[in-house]
Amino acid sequence: MRIPRSLVAIVAALVFTAAPFVAQGQAATSHTSTSAATSEQNWWKNAVFYEIYPRSFQDSNGDGIGDLNGITSRLDYLKSLGINAIWLTPIYPSPQVDFGYDISDYEAIDPQYGTMADFDHLIAEANKRHIRVLMDMVMNHTSDQHQWFIQSRSSRNNPYRDWYMWHDGKGETATSKGEPPNNWQSLFGHSAWQWDPKTRQYYYHRFYIQQPDLNWNNPKVRQAFKDILAFWLKRGVGGFRFDAITALFEDPQLRNDDVVKDKNGKPIINAFGDSQLDSKFTDNLPEVHDVMAEMRAFTNTFDSNHFPGSRVLIGETYLPNIAELRKQYGSAANPEFQLPMDTQIGFINKLDVATFRNRIDDAETKLDGQVPLIVFDNHDNPRIDARYGDGVHNTAIERVIATILFASRGASLFYNGDEIGMKTTPPTRKQDVKDPVGITGWPKNKGRDGERTPMQWSDAPNAGFSSPGVKTWLPIPPSYTTVNVAAEEHNKNSMLDWYKTLIHLKQSVPALEIGKETMLATSSNTVLSWQRTAPGEPAVVVAVNFTASPQKVDLSAAGSKAETLLKSPEGVDPASLQHVELKPFGVYIGQVKP
Ligand code: GLC
């Protein structure tokens, strides 16, 4: 893989270097030009976002758990990757039942991760490096230890009672709790209703029992979250990732979800032993759009006055199709998310050329020009090796995935550790499982520990994540001796180098920055290929082999010859775009010659 020097020089001249942005309260640079200001407003459109799971990123105080100062100490590494923003999964005080997604105070930092001063320091140091920091915003539920819920469950007359979803059971008597109000299920297994003996009603929880759902029909809940957003916006965060956003509302009539059946008409049973439900009355209800339009309008009021750049709202939007994804952007008059995650592409979980082609085409043609946010991985799913790998060519396949991630039009989001090719390492014994979902679902669903193992920084004891001899909260995978940042930083053929090169190309080659995307060789069922074209700029062609055999593809519809920008190790420079040869799971990216 290589980038021609001539190209580096050209693109270096084209790259806009923005002045460091500042948090509210600090002096903004007064001489920012209009085009620089516009560029700052649009920073997210071709941005690269990096998800950090703080618990597993870097331990700075030797307790076996990652922390904020650990993240700050790795900012230069993040800068060297070329990313524009980090999204931190929750760092608020939490009983940690769902490792931070059960929040007991939205305006503080969990002492496990540090202090508010550590947080402010992280933001300031990140800003110096032009890296924005996004917080996770969990609005669907709180912890059962949050003061709102403690109040809510204390009596039926408490002013906070209506902040959560309380309902009577069916057939309740003075001596029996009866049955839950309906058949709704928790995504983490079994009924979503929990009986509360003190006030003799059930509360609804889409996730763990310790995560009661808030009542979004209550205007006080909306106001409370606007106050929380304001709290963090004033501290200078670059935006938020909205957790489980499609779960915000449920059917007010409490109608049962339908059971999903297989092709023989038999109910599908999930890993928890429950009948699979279609979630039609518990997920993606239309009322969520009104809430998000309100949150976006509110966030926008914090933009230009205090912060030279848009605050960006990302959505965790697992949706059934592109039409539903389109709705998450809202309208010009009532915008919602700038970047709802396009899970249509990244979670196909199978290297099927036609499906990838269709889904990428959908993102190009059915989002009315909105920016897709491409994502393949996160802390909730087995890593790329486990979902796309074939066990033999996993490294090559990870290169293919990274190529689609960064060479497609849109913003890109990836998960810490992907850039060094970290592998999924699930627990082998039930007694070692930390994620409660893995205990309920064992052995069919081993939970999410396997993708949350500590970041592998070096081949030192504890992989440089924590001090030697410390028991880390999840074990360090044995692969750390070879799969680690230090080893890969000095290896031109490493996954790390592949990521850095792709990110650099994405942000410096005009056609890859802004160019529209058109599929090439559309009858191939072995090679996915496309071109990126921008007016007045040389086109770029990209081809990825989805098979374990060598393949040839004809990209001549884009031009006759190209200068190679990047290719897999052992790949060949094609003499003509008519015959582009690809090794098994090989990649070719070239800039078309005029
Ligand atoms: C999201 C988070 C996941 C969490 C769930 C409940 O899906 O990514 O980790 O368990 O929401 O908050």
Side-chain angles (χ1 to χ4, degrees):
M1 83 184 95
R2 72 193 172 91
I3 309 172
R5 293 218 69 77
S6 55
L7 187 82
V8 174
I10 298 165
V11 293
L14 287 166
V15 182
F16 163 71
T17 3
F21 49 85
V22 290
Q24 184 182 21
Q26 294 175 252
T29 38
S30 53
H31 53 269
T32 319
S33 70
T34 314
S35 71
T38 312
S39 189
E40 281 288 87
Q41 286 299 313
N42 292 331
W43 69 272
W44 49 272
K45 289 193 171 169
N46 185 42
V48 177
F49 294 87
Y50 184 85
E51 178 191 354
I52 291 184
Y53 198 71
R55 214 176 166 75
S56 291
F57 195 63
Q58 177 67 62
D59 174 18
S60 73
N61 62 354
D63 63 359
I65 296 172
D67 46 49
L68 295 179
N69 288 338
I71 298 171
T72 307
S73 74
R74 294 296 185 178
L75 284 170
D76 286 333
Y77 165 74
L78 297 174
K79 181 76 192 155
S80 77
L81 283 176
I83 57 137
N84 306 101
I86 54 181
W87 144 38
L88 302 178
T89 65
I91 51 173
Y92 316 96
S94 160
Q96 305 289 343
V97 172
D98 193 14
F99 296 108
Y101 284 95
D102 48 322
I103 298 168
S104 51
D105 179 354
Y106 286 80
E107 296 183 0
I109 302 291
D110 192 306
Q112 288 191 23
Y113 300 131
T115 63
M116 196 57 89
D118 296 337
F119 178 79
D120 289 340
H121 181 58
L122 167 61
I123 296 259
E125 288 299 314
N127 284 356
K128 278 188 202 160
R129 294 165 178 82
H130 300 210
I131 295 173
R132 288 164 159 92
V133 178
L134 273 65
M135 300 288 274
D136 216 311
M137 192 42 61
V138 185
M139 304 204 301
N140 180 66
H141 48 267
T142 68
S143 160
D144 62 353
Q145 300 306 308
H146 194 292
Q147 278 306 319
W148 301 338
F149 191 70
I150 291 172
Q151 296 272 336
S152 184
R153 81 185 325 177
S154 67
S155 89
R156 288 200 188 195
N157 303 324
N158 186 280
Y160 285 91
R161 185 69 172 178
D162 194 33
W163 283 47
Y164 292 85
M165 296 188 47
W166 292 99
H167 285 281
D168 291 335
K170 288 197 290 203
E172 185 205 338
T173 65
T175 52
S176 141
K177 61 184 183 177
E179 295 293 317
N182 62 19
N183 76 345
W184 295 350
Q185 283 173 6
S186 162
L187 285 184
F188 293 155
H190 313 322
S191 174
W193 295 100
Q194 178 69 12
W195 171 252
D196 196 59
K198 180 154 189 226
T199 54
R200 299 193 64 78
Q201 276 190 315
Y202 284 85
Y203 68 83
Y204 176 72
H205 58 93
R206 179 69 165 161
F207 298 93
Y208 291 126
I209 290 168
Q210 298 88 342
Q211 293 170 300
D213 270 48
L214 286 156
N215 172 15
W216 274 87
N217 290 307
N218 183 341
K220 290 187 180 141
V221 170
R222 290 185 186 222
Q223 186 53 49
F225 273 93
K226 286 204 230 166
D227 294 346
I228 291 164
L229 295 185
F231 178 88
W232 294 104
L233 289 165
K234 286 181 191 160
R235 295 203 98 85
V237 302
F240 303 95
R241 172 265 192 189
F242 285 81
D243 179 69
I245 194 67
T246 62
L248 229 51
F249 286 89
E250 296 75 27
D251 177 38
Q253 299 173 47
L254 302 187
R255 282 172 285 183
N256 279 338
D257 277 334
D258 278 341
V259 172
V260 182
K261 308 230 168 95
D262 66 16
K263 55 181 189 312
N264 302 318
K266 276 181 52 188
I268 294 177
I269 305 298
N270 65 24
F272 309 107
D274 305 320
S275 297
Q276 185 69 41
L277 302 182
D278 65 358
S279 297
K280 79 167 166 247
F281 292 122
T282 45
D283 193 42
N284 196 24
L285 271 70
E287 290 85 347
V288 71
H289 295 293
D290 185 43
V291 170
M292 282 319 303
E294 191 175 333
M295 297 301 160
R296 172 75 182 277
F298 181 73
T299 306
N300 282 354
T301 63
F302 284 79
D303 275 357
S304 45
N305 291 343
H306 310 297
F307 194 86
S310 304
R311 317 295 183 107
V312 71
L313 304 189
I314 290 180
E316 188 197 20
T317 40
Y318 290 98
L319 292 163
N321 55 51
I322 193 80
E324 289 303 313
L325 179 62
R326 169 66 190 92
K327 290 183 193 164
Q328 304 293 328
Y329 292 89
S331 61
N334 284 308
E336 299 174 30
F337 290 106
Q338 285 107 320
L339 295 174
M341 292 179 199
D342 186 337
T343 57
Q344 295 287 302
I345 297 169
F347 296 91
I348 295 172
N349 294 343
K350 189 174 170 219
L351 285 181
D352 179 77
V353 177
T355 311
F356 267 88
R357 188 179 288 132
N358 290 340
R359 301 266 175 100
I360 294 172
D361 239 0
D362 279 353
E364 189 64 17
T365 57
K366 296 187 181 155
L367 293 178
D368 299 330
Q370 304 281 355
V371 179
L373 174 58
I374 318 261
V375 50
F376 279 88
D377 203 8
N378 57 36
H379 63 287
D380 290 327
N381 289 281
R383 284 183 181 271
I384 291 164
D385 63 308
R387 286 179 295 118
Y388 288 100
D390 66 355
V392 178
H393 305 90
N394 285 7
T395 301
I397 291 170
E398 286 159 23
R399 288 181 204 275
V400 164
I401 296 295
T403 305
I404 300 171
L405 174 65
F406 296 116
S408 300
R409 186 181 72 87
S412 315
L413 165 62
F414 68 103
Y415 177 44
N416 61 213
D418 285 345
E419 75 275 23
I420 52 171
M422 273 179 63
K423 311 289 181 235
T424 317
T425 316
T428 51
R429 306 179 313 172
K430 187 176 177 183
Q431 62 264 41
D432 297 331
V433 175
K434 293 282 190 311
D435 181 17
V437 81
I439 299 169
T440 324
W442 190 270
K444 286 191 180 153
N445 181 340
K446 294 183 177 163
R448 297 165 290 180
D449 295 355
E451 54 267 24
R452 296 174 176 182
T453 55
M455 181 74 181
Q456 297 168 198
W457 294 103
S458 72
D459 63 1
N462 274 337
F465 162 72
S466 185
S467 318
V470 167
K471 187 172 175 357
T472 56
W473 83 281
L474 282 177
I476 310 279
S479 62
Y480 81 96
T481 51
T482 50
V483 178
N484 67 63
V485 171
E488 296 190 27
E489 264 176 340
H490 303 291
N491 176 356
K492 277 279 148 207
N493 274 340
S494 66
M495 190 63 65
L496 184 57
D497 200 58
W498 187 259
Y499 267 70
K500 283 185 184 174
T501 307
L502 278 167
I503 293 171
H504 176 70
L505 290 173
K506 173 181 176 64
Q507 303 202 322
S508 58
V509 177
L512 287 174
E513 281 183 276
I514 50 166
K516 86 180 184 54
E517 183 159 350
T518 322
M519 290 293 152
L520 294 171
T522 51
S523 54
S524 171
N525 58 11
T526 54
V527 175
L528 181 71
S529 57
W530 64 95
Q531 64 172 328
R532 302 282 309 278
T533 50
E537 302 292 346
V540 170
V541 290
V542 185
V544 291
N545 179 358
F546 271 21
T547 73
S549 332
Q551 300 291 343
K552 262 193 201 142
V553 64
D554 178 356
L555 305 181
S556 59
S560 54
K561 288 188 188 320
E563 182 175 8
T564 300
L565 298 180
L566 181 66
K567 62 185 184 200
S568 303
E570 287 113 46
V572 283
D573 292 322
S576 145
L577 283 179
Q578 211 171 357
H579 304 287
V580 176
E581 290 181 21
L582 297 163
K583 301 277 177 202
F585 299 104
V587 173
Y588 177 76
I589 305 182
Q591 180 157 285
V592 178
K593 289 183 179 162

